Amino acid sequence: MTQSDCYKIGYIIKPHGLKGQVTIALEPDAPADFESINSLFIETGEKLLPYFIENISVKGNRAFLKLEEVDTPEQAKQISRSGIFLPLETRPKSGRGEFYDDEVIGFEVVDSQVGSIGKVAEVVRTAGNRILSVVQDEREVLIPLNAPFIDSVNKGKRRISITLPEGYLEI
């Protein structure tokens, strides 16, 4: 399994307890039914390795996991700071006009007045807000992902239509 076949749901923060448990920071796109997951993939170097889950406890945006074959704090420490992934085919489809952050990477952003601005490099989350980072002629343009800026998202055409206030790109 490769990272392009998966989506990131969080990362391991640190060991928890004496029996190999770990504390997980969950991403906003982590599944709501995270406690029902039986297995996941952990990033180790350039590879994703499968792990089976013995026990899960979720508290807000944190989870406490006990993985099979991770039985000591030392083993848990070895996988600390690693990303956690699930296969893309297990992710629920996003609704019409909605999207997951990683779905729009590479989409063309087109302003109703200016035309093409560039391509989405990443979606940045700050204080509960999502912001598109768009690369335009080797400079970064940040566009809030909220009304009234976003007109539509066309996944088929890989295009986000926007309307920016006059002078926004000169800032």
Side-chain angles (χ1 to χ4, degrees), residues 15 19-20 22 51 66 69-80:
K19 297 182 180 175
V22 292
Y51 281 85
K66 172 61 179 89
E69 299 181 20
V70 179
D71 299 315
T72 67
E74 293 77 25
Q75 290 173 321
K77 188 173 183 173
Q78 288 179 340
I79 58 174
S80 290

Side-chain angles (χ1 to χ4, degrees), residues 22-124:
V22 292
T23 302
I24 308 278
L26 295 172
E27 298 277 337
D29 289 342
D33 63 344
F34 185 71
E35 290 176 312
S36 68
I37 294 171
N38 298 320
S39 64
L40 46 75
F41 291 90
I42 296 179
E43 181 180 33
T44 55
E46 297 293 317
K47 296 181 182 179
L48 295 180
L49 297 178
Y51 281 85
F52 289 99
I53 298 170
E54 286 184 13
N55 193 344
I56 300 177
S57 172
V58 177
K59 302 224 187 307
N61 65 348
R62 297 275 192 261
F64 304 95
L65 280 181
K66 172 61 179 89
L67 301 167
E68 285 184 11
E69 299 181 20
V70 179
D71 299 315
T72 67
E74 293 77 25
Q75 290 173 321
K77 188 173 183 173
Q78 288 179 340
I79 58 174
S80 290
R81 297 186 189 93
S82 298
I84 299 174
F85 296 81
L86 291 175
L88 278 172
E89 69 257 7
T90 65
R91 177 161 63 180
K93 296 259 187 247
S94 53
R96 183 175 174 90
E98 297 175 351
F99 55 87
Y100 292 106
D101 292 353
D102 62 337
E103 283 184 303
V104 296
I105 304 300
F107 277 32
E108 181 181 18
V109 178
V110 180
D111 180 70
S112 60
Q113 302 298 314
V114 178
S116 180
I117 292 175
K119 296 197 182 275
V120 176
E122 69 177 316
V123 177
V124 180

